[in-house]
Amino acid sequence: MAAADVLPKLPVPSLAPDPPPVLAPSAADALTPLIRSTYKTSELRFYVNGRCVIVQNPDPDWVLLDWIRAQDGLKGTKLGCGEGGCGACTVVLQTAESGRRLRHVAVNACLYPLAGVDGKSLITTEGLGTVDHPHPLQERIAKMHGSQCGFCTPGIVMSLYALVRNSYRDGKFRLSASDVELQGHLDGNLCRCTGYKPILEAARTFIVEDLKGELVEEPGSTSREADPIADNLVQASPTGSGCGSSSGGSCGRPGGCCRDSPASGSPYRRESTTTRTTSADSRASKTASSSFTPYDPTTELIFPPALWKHERLPICYGNERKIWFKPTTLEQLLELKAAWPAAKIVGGASETQIEVRFKKAEYRVCIFVSDIEELNALKDPYALSEISIPGNMPLTKVEELCATVFQKLGARASALEALRKQLRYFAGRQIRNVASLAGNLATASPISDSAPLLLAAGATVTVKVWGQGSHEIPLSTFFVEYRTTRLPKNGVITHIKIPLPPPGVLEITKAYKQSKRKDDDIAIVTASFRIRVDPTGAVQHATFAFGGMAPTTTVATKAQQVVLGKQWADSATREDVISALLEDFNLPFGVPGGMAQYRKTLTLSIFFRFWHESILDLGLAEVDQAPALEIHRGISTGTRGTIEASGTKVVGKEIPHLSALKHCTGEAEYVDDMPLQKNELQCAPVLSAHAHAKILKVDWSAALEMPGVVGHLDKGSIPEAWNIWGPVRVDEPLFATDKVHSHGQIIGVVYAETALQARAAAAKVRVTYETLPAILTIDQAIKAQSFFDHGKQLKKGAAVEGPLDDAFAKCAHVFEGTTKLGGQEHFYLETNAALAIPHVEDGSMEVYSSSQNLMENQIFVAQVLDVPMSRVNMRVRRLGGAYGGKESRSTPIACLVAIAARKERRPMRMMLTRDEDMATSGQRHPMQCRWKVGTNELGVIQCLDADVYNNAGYSIDMSGAVMDRACTHLDNCYNIPHAWIRGWVCKTNTVTNTAFRGFGGPQAMYFAESYMCAIAEALTIDVDELRRRNLYREGDLTPFLQPIDVDFHIPTMLEQLSASADYEARKKAVEAFNEKNSFRKRGICMVPTKFGLSFATALHLNQAGAYVRIYEDGSILLHHGGTEMGQGLYTKMCQVAAEELGVDVDQIFNKDSQTDQVANPSPTAASSGSDLNGMAVKDACRQLAERLAPYRERYGPDAPMSTLARAAYRDRVNLAANGFWKMPRIGYKWGNYTDPLPMYYYFTQGVAITEVELDVLTGDSTVLRTDIMMDVGRSINPSIDYGQIEGAFVQGQGLFTMEESLWTQQGELFTRGPGTYKIPGFSDIPQTFNVSMLTHDARGHALTWKHLRSVQSSKGIGEPPLFLGATVFFALREAVRAARAAHHHHHRGGGVALVLDAPATPEKLRLAVDDDLARRAAVAPAEGETDFFVRIEA
């Protein structure tokens, strides 16, 4: 179809006044002739999983992911963030390159332009395999427990698949051990559930075992493709070709191409370490090798032969609002830019699509350029006085080019090695596969990773303009001001030229980057230095370039000048530069981006490192090598303890998650994967843009005129009495009324034919506000006395009678302090989603909701519909993660779609974008504790007086209950004879905070360990000894007066783990290391945890129901009140049912959770899902087992269930049973200080030891080793429980060391996606990660836990391990103390005590060292000046 036939009009100016530029009226005249003469088609032709597809004039607003998810059967590719930061959308593009080579490119479908898929072969996870016939990679990840919630899994599978396919060369899979983990192939993928360890193990063993070979270690391997682009610079390189070519190249099918030579491969060796795998067959015990389907390379998807002959045609498609061009030559591109200079050039769209999605940019004319050969192909030969890199060469290829040239040229190419190093940590692999240097420079980011290096190296950009030829712009003059360059509007960057020094010249170029997370993170400061010295060591030339220190990439002018002519190796020169840098970069306290002192400190520290490193590399003098060494992690390892058989047939077996294979193949269905309903509409929220304001006017007119829009909802859509909800106290409006109380509060909803249309229309709603004063922080709330009614407190000992003044007077030592902890975003990969399907006949409604709490959803959906609860059926099959974030915050989403569905009598769906979800769903509560502790001479605690504050946000949600649990965990594992603990729930103008894994417990135990550290350091007592002195003993009472009983195993675990982890010897080794190293310090710690299990004082929630039916054929249908969110609840419940009924797990079908099957279900939360629902399932199954007992006696113990069921049915025996269980013993009442009932049913306990290493110069760190021992009782499924332990630990590690939520001064959440909010990635987990479970007591006797009276004597495990992630924090604290000691910060000797609040980000760690560089970089606020960001825990 001709492009002109489908483009009746060119884009017209936007209705919105917002930039960027739009077409002027003359644009049609300028572009129409080109369309008619050059762009003959509007069709995209490509292959999807081997199937040819032709898409005619697609929606110009679509990215690749939009098209994929619009297809039936391709829902495995997920939308996780929309900005290329989580990897859930990863797909693989097979591309044909010069020399008939194939490349498998992992890309982010959420960013990648749909235009870019033309002429390529697209592979999604569905193309690899199915549940019945999985790809061996999918199977191994599933069986090795590499998937929990499963939402991230398809993306991880595809990233690994690209790695494996690209590694096949010359008949071998050429993979080094580091390729799997250390070369960044998974750095663009996130997982919030697993802790990454089983995924890495599955990947490594797949390569060793399934590929029937060994990891090939190649010297200097950087995981470089079989690609001659770099070799062309230095020497001729033979080129291969594909099938049908004269040179016999491969079509890309590993081991399966007709051109592969059998002799080209070496004999495969099948040796590997033992891999713990499990089968879904609960009765079978299989070895690792036999439990996997053998890898068969002939089944891999080949590159479609037709695409070898694909003719690349200029393409144009679009509509009256937006148009896409896909030129095939540089000349066509230049002609387009000449005709319309405002046209947006797009490569990988890693920046452009973020601007479109999140900044509401409206680029009306876009040009896709990544397939233009002149812009990405490296030609040879080149003179080696410079390297000329094509402007649009993918950064992955630039990495490869730099590695090869540096390997061949050595120090002359130090600038290229520095560039490679910077690109390795730029974004994720998926983005590096499509992003380019030209795009990076053109965006002119002030924190660019590559610009400082290129500037320091003296690079120039080659720019070409239609009709004017080429000219070069030195990078030193390229950047003009913030996000502005000298690139002409009609110009195109064709090359970046990097000069190389002549042979024999003493010149070195280095580059550095510091960010919050090592992999895939934007820089805080980037720096690059080039120094040239004469043979005497005198400086001839110096360029010091920085990013993150000014509105543009800039140079340190004074510092560069001060070194000229001086001896580079003279320490006085170094000091002169440091002083000059302080003048060059005198940042104000409130500098945009914040962190003024840290950024200044980094310029000094990074230069200090470069000075040492450059002197060593140039061989100028003998200097200390230590400052030159950065922290690098090794390949991770780890173990899981062996669990002895407990005598049961099914329970206790390590069965994989029953949906794991579906996760891996993309067949697992989440709410937004459900097929479109007939006449379905899509909803998008309209959110407040102020933290506190009066709403003066809401203008919907522009939104309602947008294409596809059907209607909207607001406060007038339902009666006022229905417009309010709340999980505990009903105080939160569904729609804002006269005021907004938080940035991101819902004002209304727009619904349209598509989600893109609804979201575009929502952005057009104009709200007029009158701003009101806002309270954001805890300190502000305390000052204003802004609290929700709470009033709960705990009293023990003397506190029951009154204040603790007398108790403190008797103490030998009294310590006081304030400890703070920031919030934490849940960052489940699946955002909140709901689908409402109305039934007009009876007014009922079926609502699918990504919710942990179907009953609460049901209550309020019924309320807003004004129908009985029996008319509302809430359903969910699985959640893509939740962690408490979908316990209450899913409710308004379900209500909104239900209201819209009733109004229009049409199905309604809404899935929040990542930034919408983070702005509206709340976080873990930021907290602050003001404590006073008294001890005796030995440090044994005598009394505690504490005020605990949490930042609730603008409504109370579950903040009161969170505070309750926090107050009951402020003791952790330590006996406190006299305690008075008060909880305060602060009312602020921030997002309403909510439940999060641990529910206040981790914060409180962090406070406890903080005051323990304060005591130990002040009294110079070893903190481990202090902990032992204060541990509970059997018979002691907690602050809520619950006795510590025989189930307290902390002393035993401390002893056992200390021995198995060789803790005492390692403590001494850490001390020795710190004595020898000034610029790297290590820390090690051992911390216990005690977590109470039950819904605490919400007694009514401690109940559950189940419904089990046996059909005549022996199959069993199971329903219970729990929801599956990755924790393996469905799998465990099937195991419980199978054990009780004497059948295999595969005979049990656990259908989705729904309220019309199990009424009044409690939320799946508080780590009680297995306890409550398991006992209910057990109750139902025992009823059925009793009814079937006569038939089992008749037909024998091994008779199949089909025989029993058929006989019972014919005897008219009821084969359906309702089970129910309520938790006994508990029933605590606040205010009872004499004989209260227990608050918790039992305590899950654990101990962890963590060792870390800290880079004192930058604050960077790595976790060297973690050992964990958990008391989980008798595990129902050890592998699932191990996964919960590892995943919770890593999530806790993020809470205490990495994940920092920041607000603007206006009250807007700044950290609203993976670009600004960093959770741990693959390279952040402990390098050695060992986990075990308690099995024996201190005397070596096997434990039974029969006293627990829990399901199978197991313990809840979802939340308890999370706090152990704090061991990373406390180990880092020890490392900081060691660094401070080197700078004479001795607390007891009169120095200032260390105050380090979590999260311990690199900024906090570096500044806490408080060395000379940090002090010299100190920044004091001017009068009235505030920090750029707000931390609301303050």
Side-chain angles (χ1 to χ4, degrees):
M1 181 179 292
D5 295 335
V6 298
L7 296 171
K9 297 187 290 183
L10 281 169
V12 296
S14 168
L15 295 171
D18 302 329
V22 296
L23 286 181
S26 62
D29 294 334
L31 292 173
T32 297
L34 282 178
I35 295 174
R36 297 189 184 280
S37 65
T38 305
Y39 296 88
K40 304 295 186 181
T41 182
S42 64
E43 295 179 343
L44 302 178
R45 296 171 177 263
F46 55 99
Y47 279 74
V48 180
N49 298 329
R51 176 175 58 88
C52 181
V53 172
I54 300 174
V55 181
Q56 296 185 346
N57 196 42
D59 186 333
D61 291 320
W62 274 1
V63 293
L64 178 56
L65 181 63
D66 296 318
W67 182 86
I68 290 173
R69 290 191 59 80
Q71 312 309 305
D72 293 335
L74 291 183
K75 297 301 175 66
T77 308
K78 310 298 186 189
L79 174 61
C81 68
E83 56 180 280
C86 73
C89 64
T90 304
V91 296
V92 170
L93 294 177
Q94 283 184 315
T95 62
E97 299 186 338
S98 60
R100 290 180 67 86
R101 282 182 172 77
L102 277 183
R103 195 178 186 102
H104 293 77
V105 182
V107 302
N108 294 118
C110 72
L111 298 179
Y112 194 76
L114 182 59
V117 79
D118 180 68
K120 300 181 178 70
S121 173
L122 169 65
I123 304 175
T124 70
T125 195
E126 291 89 351
L128 272 59
T130 64
V131 168
D132 293 330
H133 301 287
H135 188 282
L137 178 59
Q138 295 169 321
E139 181 187 34
R140 188 171 284 267
I141 290 175
K143 288 187 176 180
M144 294 188 68
H145 316 284
S147 178
Q148 289 185 22
C149 85
F151 202 82
C152 66
T153 308
I156 292 171
V157 167
M158 297 312 296
S159 290
L160 288 170
Y161 181 74
L163 168 64
V164 170
R165 291 295 301 266
N166 283 331
S167 72
Y168 186 75
R169 303 191 299 275
D170 303 324
K172 287 184 179 180
F173 289 95
R174 296 185 176 273
L175 286 168
S176 72
S178 69
D179 286 328
V180 180
E181 185 172 352
L182 302 184
Q183 298 305 321
H185 293 284
L186 290 171
D187 58 6
N189 293 88
L190 296 176
C191 174
R192 195 55 154 163
C193 294
T194 63
Y196 301 105
K197 177 182 167 185
I199 301 172
L200 291 171
E201 181 66 12
R204 283 193 292 264
T205 57
F206 168 75
I207 292 165
V208 172
E209 296 174 7
D210 281 3
L211 299 186
K212 301 186 177 75
E214 57 186 314
L215 292 176
V216 177
E217 293 288 357
E218 299 180 32
S221 171
T222 57
S223 186
R224 194 164 64 85
E225 304 285 333
D227 195 325
I229 58 173
D231 295 321
N232 288 346
L233 288 166
V234 189
Q235 63 182 36
S237 174
T239 58
S241 54
C243 291
S245 69
S246 59
S247 59
S250 172
C251 70
R253 174 188 278 166
C257 176
C258 59
R259 298 286 180 183
D260 287 337
S261 170
S264 64
S266 60
Y268 292 117
R269 187 175 70 189
R270 194 170 179 81
E271 293 180 4
S272 69
T273 58
T274 301
T275 305
R276 289 181 58 187
T277 62
T278 51
S279 168
D281 181 351
S282 59
R283 295 184 184 276
S285 176
K286 301 184 179 182
T287 64
S289 58
S290 65
S291 65
F292 295 116
T293 303
Y295 177 68
D296 182 0
T298 64
T299 63
E300 294 282 27
L301 286 167
I302 67 168
F303 187 69
L307 287 182
W308 289 115
K309 303 176 182 179
H310 176 78
E311 181 183 2
R312 293 182 175 177
L313 300 174
I315 297 170
C316 173
Y317 66 86
N319 55 32
E320 68 276 7
R321 294 180 301 103
K322 185 171 185 176
I323 189 171
W324 275 90
F325 290 93
K326 187 174 185 288
T328 58
T329 66
L330 178 58
E331 183 179 7
Q332 291 170 359
L333 169 61
L334 294 173
E335 193 174 10
L336 277 171
K337 288 292 286 183
W340 191 249
K344 183 70 173 178
I345 293 179
V346 180
S350 57
E351 181 81 14
T352 303
Q353 192 56 32
I354 289 174
E355 293 174 347
V356 170
R357 284 284 173 94
F358 301 107
K359 299 179 181 178
K360 310 304 178 186
E362 295 182 346
Y363 296 113
R364 300 299 186 160
V365 179
C366 295
I367 308 172
F368 181 77
V369 300
S370 284
D371 290 341
I372 296 176
E373 187 173 357
E374 296 103 308
L375 294 181
N376 58 36
L378 189 68
K379 305 298 182 182
D380 63 273
Y382 271 73
L384 288 182
S385 60
E386 66 179 22
I387 301 295
S388 184
I389 301 174
N392 212 55
M393 174 182 280
L395 297 182
T396 294
K397 289 189 175 182
V398 177
E399 280 186 81
E400 298 164 7
L401 164 68
C402 292
T404 299
V405 175
F406 179 69
Q407 187 176 11
K408 294 181 181 296
L409 298 183
R412 280 191 66 210
S414 65
L416 294 181
E417 170 59 14
L419 179 58
R420 183 205 64 77
K421 175 187 171 187
Q422 293 298 85
L423 294 182
R424 162 63 183 86
Y425 295 108
F426 172 80
R429 175 62 66 187
Q430 297 92 321
I431 287 179
R432 295 198 296 276
N433 282 338
V434 295
S436 65
L437 287 178
N440 191 274
L441 294 175
T443 59
S445 169
I447 51 174
S448 166
D449 289 9
S450 62
L453 178 280
L454 295 171
L455 176 55
T460 59
V461 294
T462 304
V463 177
K464 201 163 188 178
V465 177
W466 174 262
Q468 299 179 22
S470 299
H471 68 279
E472 294 190 2
I473 304 176
L475 213 62
S476 58
T477 64
F478 186 71
F479 302 109
V480 179
E481 57 187 32
Y482 180 71
R483 296 283 186 175
T484 305
T485 71
R486 296 192 184 278
L487 179 66
K489 288 188 176 181
N490 59 347
V492 175
I493 298 175
T494 62
H495 291 83
I496 294 90
K497 294 183 178 179
I498 304 175
L500 299 178
V505 170
L506 291 175
E507 179 177 303
I508 194 80
T509 303
K510 297 282 184 180
Y512 307 87
K513 171 184 176 179
Q514 184 59 43
S515 52
K516 292 184 178 181
R517 187 178 69 192
K518 187 74 171 178
D519 281 349
D520 189 12
D521 195 2
I522 57 176
I524 298 170
V525 170
T526 51
S528 185
F529 306 92
R530 177 164 64 101
I531 195 81
R532 180 181 291 184
V533 299
D534 66 18
T536 69
V539 177
Q540 294 180 319
H541 173 84
T543 304
F544 305 153
F546 290 86
M549 298 303 293
T552 67
T553 299
T554 189
V555 296
T557 308
K558 294 181 180 179
Q560 291 174 173
Q561 290 294 323
V562 79
V563 299
L564 295 178
K566 295 183 178 179
Q567 286 295 310
W568 181 242
D570 190 336
S571 61
T573 303
R574 181 191 69 207
E575 292 305 308
D576 289 343
V577 174
I578 289 174
S579 297
L581 285 172
L582 290 171
E583 296 182 41
D584 281 319
F585 302 117
N586 188 22
L587 299 182
F589 183 78
V591 63
M595 299 183 283
Q597 184 183 1
Y598 182 48
R599 286 154 69 181
K600 287 183 65 178
T601 302
L602 284 174
T603 63
L604 309 184
S605 294
I606 291 173
F607 169 76
F608 187 83
R609 169 158 285 151
F610 168 70
W611 185 81
H612 285 81
E613 192 174 0
S614 60
I615 291 173
L616 289 167
D617 286 357
L618 293 172
L620 299 179
E622 293 289 334
V623 294
D624 186 0
Q625 184 180 1
L629 300 177
E630 298 182 60
I631 285 180
H632 296 285
R633 68 177 282 119
I635 296 171
S636 62
T637 61
T639 62
R640 288 179 172 181
T642 301
I643 303 299
E644 298 177 3
S646 59
T648 53
K649 295 181 179 179
V650 183
V651 168
K653 305 302 181 185
E654 298 186 81
I655 297 171
H657 195 295
L658 293 179
S659 292
L661 266 178
K662 297 176 188 177
H663 298 159
C664 294
T665 62
E667 294 169 81
E669 187 178 77
Y670 302 81
V671 171
D672 198 50
D673 298 336
M674 295 178 63
L676 286 176
Q677 307 295 305
K678 184 178 181 181
N679 296 324
E680 180 184 310
L681 297 175
Q682 302 277 343
C683 301
V686 177
L687 306 178
S688 165
H690 287 255
H692 193 204
K694 292 180 181 178
I695 298 176
L696 303 181
K697 181 182 178 182
V698 182
D699 183 0
W700 298 88
S701 57
L704 297 178
E705 292 173 2
M706 292 287 287
V709 174
V710 175
H712 78 285
L713 303 174
D714 62 11
K715 64 180 182 180
S717 300
I718 54 175
E720 183 179 352
W722 302 352
N723 187 35
I724 192 163
W725 75 281
V728 179
R729 187 180 307 164
V730 179
D731 69 339
E732 182 176 340
L734 280 171
F735 300 105
T737 52
D738 299 328
K739 294 180 181 179
V740 292
H741 298 278
S742 171
H743 201 292
Q745 186 177 349
I746 293 175
I747 293 174
V749 168
V750 177
Y751 46 87
E753 297 293 339
T754 71
L756 286 178
Q757 290 173 336
R759 198 146 276 115
K764 300 297 182 183
V765 177
R766 294 291 174 251
V767 184
T768 305
Y769 303 92
E770 178 185 323
T771 303
L772 299 172
I775 295 172
L776 303 179
T777 71
I778 290 176
D779 285 349
Q780 290 171 355
I782 294 172
K783 183 177 180 180
Q785 290 295 289
S786 180
F787 301 115
F788 289 103
D789 290 339
H790 183 64
K792 294 181 181 178
Q793 53 189 320
L794 297 176
K795 294 183 179 182
K796 177 188 174 186
V800 175
E801 303 302 325
L804 291 173
D805 296 348
D806 290 343
F808 278 109
K810 297 175 183 177
C811 293
H813 305 283
V814 176
F815 309 93
E816 296 185 67
T818 298
T819 307
K820 302 172 184 178
L821 173 63
Q824 183 181 27
E825 167 58 36
H826 302 86
F827 217 96
Y828 31 68
L829 269 293
E830 177 207 29
T831 58
N832 273 290
L835 168 64
I837 303 173
H839 299 290
V840 178
E841 175 189 358
D842 52 16
S844 64
M845 185 84 69
E846 195 155 45
V847 183
Y848 293 84
S849 175
S850 181
S851 174
Q852 300 172 241
N853 194 350
L854 295 182
M855 181 182 176
E856 183 182 290
N857 283 197
Q858 183 185 24
I859 290 170
F860 288 103
V861 169
Q863 172 183 294
V864 298
L865 298 180
D866 193 26
V867 299
M869 288 173 63
S870 59
R871 299 291 179 93
V872 176
N873 184 27
M874 301 301 306
R875 301 182 65 172
V876 65
R877 181 60 182 267
R878 59 176 59 83
L879 289 73
Y883 323 112
K886 297 176 182 176
E887 186 175 348
S888 65
R889 305 315 297 174
S890 61
T891 298
I893 309 304
C895 290
L896 295 176
V897 294
I899 295 168
R902 182 193 62 178
K903 178 181 177 182
E904 299 294 339
R905 295 190 171 192
R906 296 173 66 173
M908 293 282 176
R909 188 189 307 242
M910 177 158 56
M911 183 176 187
L912 298 181
T913 62
R914 176 61 55 187
D915 61 319
E916 290 168 348
D917 192 281
M918 293 181 75
T920 61
S921 65
Q923 302 187 348
R924 182 187 301 280
H925 286 73
M927 284 195 178
Q928 184 181 127
C929 182
R930 301 179 179 186
W931 49 264
K932 181 179 179 181
V933 180
T935 74
N936 66 13
E937 289 286 356
L938 298 176
V940 177
I941 297 174
Q942 303 300 304
C943 49
L944 168 68
D945 184 271
D947 288 288
V948 185
Y949 302 87
N950 69 13
N951 192 324
Y954 75 95
S955 70
I956 197 165
D957 194 79
M958 288 184 282
S959 301
V962 169
M963 179 54 70
D964 293 347
R965 182 173 283 271
C967 289
T968 61
H969 284 72
L970 200 60
D971 58 335
N972 194 10
C973 299
Y974 311 116
N975 183 41
I976 305 171
H978 307 284
W980 189 1
I981 301 169
R982 299 168 294 278
W984 303 86
V985 180
C986 299
K987 183 177 183 179
T988 63
N989 296 114
T990 67
V991 63
T992 287
N993 291 311
T994 190
F996 195 146
R997 194 178 200 168
F999 207 74
Q1003 295 100 310
M1005 291 184 281
Y1006 158 74
F1007 296 147
E1009 293 303 327
S1010 295
Y1011 65 67
M1012 292 296 286
C1013 287
I1015 296 168
E1017 291 161 20
L1019 301 182
T1020 61
I1021 300 174
D1022 182 275
V1023 70
D1024 294 312
E1025 175 58 29
L1026 183 74
R1027 290 184 177 111
R1028 291 188 184 94
R1029 292 177 187 178
N1030 283 280
L1031 284 178
Y1032 277 119
R1033 292 174 174 80
E1034 188 176 343
D1036 288 342
L1037 297 178
T1038 67
F1040 46 96
L1041 308 184
Q1042 181 165 336
I1044 297 297
D1045 59 20
V1046 295
D1047 192 46
F1048 188 67
H1049 299 297
I1050 290 295
T1052 299
M1053 288 191 286
L1054 286 169
E1055 181 181 346
Q1056 292 183 6
L1057 189 64
S1058 178
S1060 65
D1062 200 16
Y1063 179 56
E1064 294 300 329
R1066 287 168 56 204
K1067 282 177 69 175
K1068 294 178 182 177
V1070 165
E1071 291 178 7
F1073 178 91
N1074 291 338
E1075 285 291 329
K1076 297 176 182 177
N1077 293 273
S1078 299
F1079 297 96
R1080 287 185 297 157
K1081 296 295 182 181
R1082 290 184 178 178
I1084 189 170
C1085 73
M1086 178 168 61
V1087 176
T1089 184
K1090 169 182 66 66
F1091 190 89
L1093 266 292
S1094 82
F1095 278 100
T1097 53
L1099 186 63
H1100 64 284
L1101 297 181
N1102 293 289
Q1103 60 175 303
Y1107 189 22
V1108 181
R1109 284 158 281 189
I1110 303 176
Y1111 290 87
E1112 191 261 358
D1113 65 351
S1115 61
I1116 300 162
L1117 179 62
L1118 169 62
H1119 280 99
H1120 52 81
T1123 58
E1124 174 58 57
M1125 45 196 172
Q1127 84 283 38
L1129 181 65
Y1130 278 17
T1131 303
K1132 286 185 174 182
M1133 295 304 96
C1134 286
Q1135 287 181 265
V1136 171
E1139 183 73 32
E1140 294 297 323
L1141 294 174
V1143 298
D1144 290 341
V1145 166
D1146 56 13
Q1147 289 181 250
I1148 313 289
F1149 177 40
N1150 192 162
K1151 203 176 180 183
D1152 61 348
S1153 302
Q1154 47 185 304
T1155 55
D1156 70 354
Q1157 294 296 326
V1158 176
N1160 310 316
S1162 294
T1164 306
S1167 301
S1168 62
S1170 294
D1171 282 347
L1172 296 176
N1173 295 288
M1175 292 297 276
V1177 169
K1178 190 172 182 178
D1179 178 43
C1181 291
R1182 283 189 171 177
Q1183 295 176 45
L1184 293 170
E1186 289 176 7
R1187 297 172 197 169
L1188 292 174
Y1191 303 97
R1192 193 169 292 282
E1193 185 176 349
R1194 180 189 307 172
Y1195 295 106
D1198 297 324
M1201 180 58 73
S1202 57
T1203 299
L1204 308 181
R1206 189 171 295 114
Y1209 167 72
R1210 291 181 176 275
D1211 286 347
R1212 296 181 294 177
V1213 172
N1214 182 6
L1215 292 179
N1218 279 296
F1220 179 79
W1221 189 71
K1222 63 179 181 180
M1223 193 175 283
R1225 294 201 304 262
I1226 59 174
Y1228 182 85
K1229 298 292 184 183
W1230 289 86
N1232 182 347
Y1233 302 126
T1234 54
D1235 56 350
L1237 291 172
M1239 181 174 292
Y1240 298 114
Y1241 195 47
Y1242 57 79
F1243 295 99
T1244 297
Q1245 301 144 65
V1247 175
I1249 296 171
T1250 291
E1251 183 178 353
V1252 301
E1253 185 168 309
L1254 172 69
D1255 183 339
V1256 173
L1257 285 175
T1258 64
D1260 216 356
S1261 65
T1262 187
V1263 183
L1264 299 174
R1265 176 174 169 178
T1266 291
D1267 297 82
I1268 300 174
M1269 177 177 284
M1270 290 297 300
D1271 166 22
V1272 301
R1274 232 178 88 209
S1275 175
I1276 296 174
N1277 186 319
S1279 285
I1280 285 179
D1281 287 346
Y1282 274 127
Q1284 289 291 289
I1285 295 168
E1286 293 162 353
F1289 176 89
V1290 172
Q1291 201 171 77
Q1293 176 187 348
L1295 166 64
F1296 292 107
T1297 66
M1298 184 180 299
E1299 299 179 40
E1300 186 174 40
S1301 295
L1302 299 171
W1303 272 256
T1304 67
Q1305 291 290 342
Q1306 293 72 41
E1308 179 181 7
L1309 179 64
F1310 174 77
T1311 45
R1312 296 199 305 273
T1316 51
Y1317 185 86
K1318 296 299 174 181
I1319 70 172
F1322 278 89
S1323 65
D1324 298 304
I1325 67 171
Q1327 295 186 43
T1328 300
F1329 199 177
N1330 303 319
V1331 185
S1332 61
M1333 296 179 185
L1334 178 67
T1335 57
H1336 293 78
D1337 63 19
R1339 293 171 294 178
H1341 299 152
L1343 292 164
T1344 64
W1345 293 278
K1346 290 181 179 179
H1347 60 280
L1348 285 182
R1349 295 170 61 192
S1350 63
V1351 60
Q1352 302 297 327
S1353 297
S1354 66
K1355 288 188 174 185
I1357 195 59
E1359 296 170 287
L1362 186 138
F1363 171 67
L1364 295 179
T1367 55
V1368 180
F1369 172 90
F1370 287 106
L1372 285 169
R1373 193 177 191 281
E1374 292 299 310
V1376 169
R1377 289 184 65 225
R1380 287 166 62 88
H1383 297 282
H1384 310 293
H1385 291 285
H1386 298 290
H1387 177 25
R1388 198 150 198 209
V1392 178
L1394 171 61
V1395 176
L1396 180 65
D1397 291 323
T1401 59
E1403 176 192 13
K1404 291 181 181 178
L1405 292 168
R1406 178 63 186 90
L1407 297 184
V1409 171
D1410 197 29
D1411 61 346
D1412 179 64
L1413 294 179
R1415 289 193 292 270
R1416 292 171 69 178
V1419 181
E1423 185 176 353
E1425 189 178 20
T1426 59
D1427 199 350
F1428 186 77
F1429 289 122
V1430 176
R1431 293 169 174 84
I1432 65 172
E1433 67 272 20

